[in-house]
Amino acid sequence: MITRTSTRLGLIAAAALLVLTGCSSTEAPGAGASASPSEDAATVHRVPAGVTLTDAWVKATTEGMSAVFGDIVNTGSEDVTLSAAGVSESRMVELHETVDNGSGQMVMRQKDGGFVIPAGGTFELRPGGNHIMLMDLTGPLVAGNTVTLTLAFMDGSVIEQAVPIKDFAGANETYESEAPTPGSGH
Amino acid sequence: MADSSAAQTSARSKLSRRGLLLGGAVAGFGAAAAIGADVLMRRASAVPAPAVPREEPAEASAVVDFYGEHQAGIATEPQAHCTFVALDLREDVDRAGMARLMRILTDDAARLTAGSAALADSEPELAVLPARLTVTFGFGPRVAALVPEKPSPEWLGPLPAFSVDRLDPHYGDGDVLLQVASDDPLTLAHALRMLLKDARSFATVRWHQPGFRRARGSEKPGTTMRNLFGQIDGTVNPVPGTRDFDDLVWIADRSSWAHGGTGFVLRRIGMDLDKWDRLDREGREQSVGRTLDSGAPLTGSREHDEPDFAAKNAVGFPVIAEFAHIRRARLADPSQRIFRRGYNYDEPPFGTGVSHSGLLFASFQADVTHQFVPIQRSLDELDLLNEWLVPVGSAVFVIPPGCAPGGYIGETLLGA
């Protein structure tokens, strides 16, 4: 299946390649004002075969940052790798994992190489686990609205999907950089 | 025989004790996952049930369809437990905000009633046994007023005052109604909490009224409930699935956003059990006009026998007294009837009393003014039961029609 995509998709797909080459984050896929319309028309993306995003939701917030949760289901016979994601309400989107920082505290940090969704398997995005981090939000994410989430896979395929925003009291994970280091004291 | 039976009992209890000691922790922890997988498997395909022993009865996974022309929880055979909650909208909630709230709550309700966790459900294991869970939404006058260009039913608003009323505002009115019902009270509590968490940024809880009937399976489905006076309560009721029910309950006006919906009245009726205790059995039956054992009218022998209001006793008095509840509750015009779906409540006593009980009199009718009000007026004027009954709460909501997958409850009002 072939689909034509927006400017944003083109930028995210391009950023996906950057992630693979070690770039730290997906910068400003948002408004995409710098890209020319002619580029859009030329950009064509495949939808990944057998890969779906289900039960997805975004945590509501007034400002700052948020995250996307849900299940990425791969019914295909090949592993697929999610390499980047974007929503227009966030100027910086990262794929995060939550790991033990060595002092027994779970912290989140960017996942090198993207998320691998195994053939015939499900990749869970969960509070306290792997998730898609939305940073530098352009405005509040209001419960009951939706954001349009773009998932860019390593093979160049793309999923674009409306994801509802919900209130959620959890998902208050600590950043690796914020976590107190052993012996730092208080 | 006695010895052998005792030995069996002893063997059984030894077994179960050993089960508890050795396997209890594992079984307890694994049960939720096992049930979840089982529900998924049965949904996914029609393969025969797995050969592993199942602990939960089929009733636990019974599902009432959420989507449809009408909301569920009205024509649904009443579940054992039901909690009615009214919300007050926060000041800043406008039409768009109300639509956002209803999209969220509709999605929650659709998932939970199907036995699935809601999105962002932090206790997903509590969602896997729906036990006929239904969630029914209603709108009060303030929600209707968010869209003034779409006229709402004229009856939407507080009922006229009745002389018997002793209304406590803590149990009255409200902007949004949630009626959450299930045969499993734990499922119900989880579903309600999920809905209220998602409503929290839009609204506050105004009142919360839990009610109950007999446990599922205690009686044959379709058995008329008993209230805490011991009376069979609700014998004369339109039957879901009949033309009569449809005509009495569903709003038929195609030009109204409420078409396919209904009117809802909740009356919290305190029942003075301590005073009722002083009345003998004959007096109790006279007050209603029905016998306590079968619920038959005093002129009949079976519950659904038609009462003979003209019958006289040996000394010439009506067998069913002028003041009897069933005489006063029946009006000559057959279109002036309602559909009752009530629940008992039994709360902690206060002061020196030993009971604080009553009935959550829930009724559905297409036109509250034409159907509910005249009946209540007749009871208000004369009904011996008023000696023991005190209405303490009163609320009226319009129940919007149901919706299809992808839609949301209230879209006919709040949408374009």
Side-chain angles (χ1 to χ4, degrees), chain A residues 54-57 142-145 164-169, chain B residues 100 103-104 108 111 118-120 122 194 197-198 201-202:
Chain A
T54 63
D55 299 338
W57 57 280
V142 182
N145 282 341
I165 302 168
K166 292 201 78 174
D167 286 326
F168 188 69
Chain B
R100 284 191 286 112
R103 278 195 207 99
I104 297 171
D108 286 347
R111 290 170 186 271
L119 293 181
S122 34
M194 190 70 230
K197 278 200 294 187
D198 277 339
S201 61
F202 299 84

Side-chain angles (χ1 to χ4, degrees), chain A residues 13-29:
Chain A
L17 296 173
L18 293 178
V19 168
L20 292 175
T21 57
C23 177
S24 63
S25 68
T26 310
E27 289 289 349

Side-chain angles (χ1 to χ4, degrees), chain B residues 27-360:
Chain B
F29 213 69
I35 290 162
D38 183 54
V39 167
L40 283 176
M41 285 175 71
R42 266 178 291 140
R43 287 253 165 66
S45 67
V47 295
V52 294
R54 284 161 40 90
E55 292 296 324
E56 85 282 11
E59 286 82 355
S61 10
V63 169
V64 176
D65 287 341
F66 175 77
Y67 295 110
E69 180 186 2
H70 310 295
Q71 289 195 61
I74 301 165
T76 308
E77 170 77 20
Q79 299 94 327
H81 300 271
C82 183
T83 299
F84 302 93
V85 176
L87 306 178
D88 283 337
L89 289 179
R90 296 184 187 278
E91 286 299 320
D92 60 350
V93 174
D94 57 8
R95 176 177 177 173
M98 187 65 203
R100 284 191 286 112
L101 171 63
M102 291 313 298
R103 278 195 207 99
I104 297 171
L105 297 185
T106 299
D107 185 68
D108 286 347
R111 290 170 186 271
L112 291 165
T113 55
S116 305
L119 293 181
D121 192 336
S122 34
E123 292 82 29
E125 290 81 5
L126 296 182
V128 297
L129 298 177
R132 303 194 305 128
L133 175 71
T134 58
V135 179
T136 314
F137 300 101
F139 295 159
R142 188 172 150 208
V143 174
L146 293 174
V147 193
E149 65 271 30
K150 294 186 185 178
S152 287
E154 283 175 18
W155 45 256
L156 181 58
L159 295 173
F162 298 103
S163 66
V164 290
D165 290 356
R166 299 292 180 269
L167 299 183
D168 177 344
H170 290 107
Y171 293 119
D173 306 325
D175 298 333
V176 179
L177 168 79
L178 307 178
Q179 176 195 273
V180 185
S182 172
D183 291 323
D184 185 316
L186 182 57
T187 297
L188 192 165
H190 170 66
L192 181 56
R193 171 153 169 80
M194 190 70 230
L195 294 162
L196 292 179
K197 278 200 294 187
D198 277 339
R200 186 159 46 192
S201 61
F202 299 84
T204 54
V205 174
R206 179 181 180 86
W207 47 252
H208 173 282
Q209 305 189 59
F212 60 93
R213 294 180 166 214
R214 285 205 190 275
R216 184 73 174 171
S218 292
E219 292 176 328
K220 269 193 311 188
T223 304
T224 311
M225 71 170 262
R226 281 190 190 268
N227 63 34
L228 289 165
F229 280 168
Q231 299 159 336
I232 289 180
D233 189 336
T235 297
V236 178
N237 219 12
V239 178
T242 63
R243 175 73 194 271
D244 184 45
F245 178 93
D246 292 348
D247 289 348
L248 288 166
V249 172
W250 306 124
I251 294 170
D253 177 4
R254 292 191 173 276
S255 69
S256 169
W257 67 264
H259 172 71
T262 183
F264 174 78
V265 175
L266 182 66
R267 301 274 290 175
R268 182 182 180 87
I269 301 177
M271 293 165 51
D272 191 340
L273 293 182
D274 297 336
K275 190 175 177 186
W276 184 251
D277 283 345
R278 301 200 284 271
L279 188 64
D280 63 25
R281 196 168 175 90
E282 191 185 345
R284 293 177 175 202
E285 294 184 335
Q286 290 285 335
S287 70
V288 180
R290 290 186 181 278
T291 62
L292 284 162
D293 58 354
S294 68
L298 296 180
T299 56
S301 57
R302 289 186 306 264
E303 182 193 351
H304 290 282
D305 286 347
E306 194 57 18
D308 179 358
F309 292 109
K312 302 281 196 294
N313 63 17
V315 293
F317 287 109
V319 178
I320 297 170
E322 295 299 336
F323 54 66
H325 179 76
I326 64 168
R327 185 188 288 275
R328 299 301 302 173
R330 183 174 304 214
L331 305 184
D333 180 349
S335 73
Q336 291 182 314
R337 288 179 294 143
I338 59 178
F339 176 65
R340 286 176 284 169
R341 203 175 183 280
Y343 284 86
N344 301 301
Y345 73 83
D346 189 30
E347 299 196 348
F350 50 85
T352 56
V354 298
S355 63
H356 177 200
S357 309
L359 184 69
L360 301 174

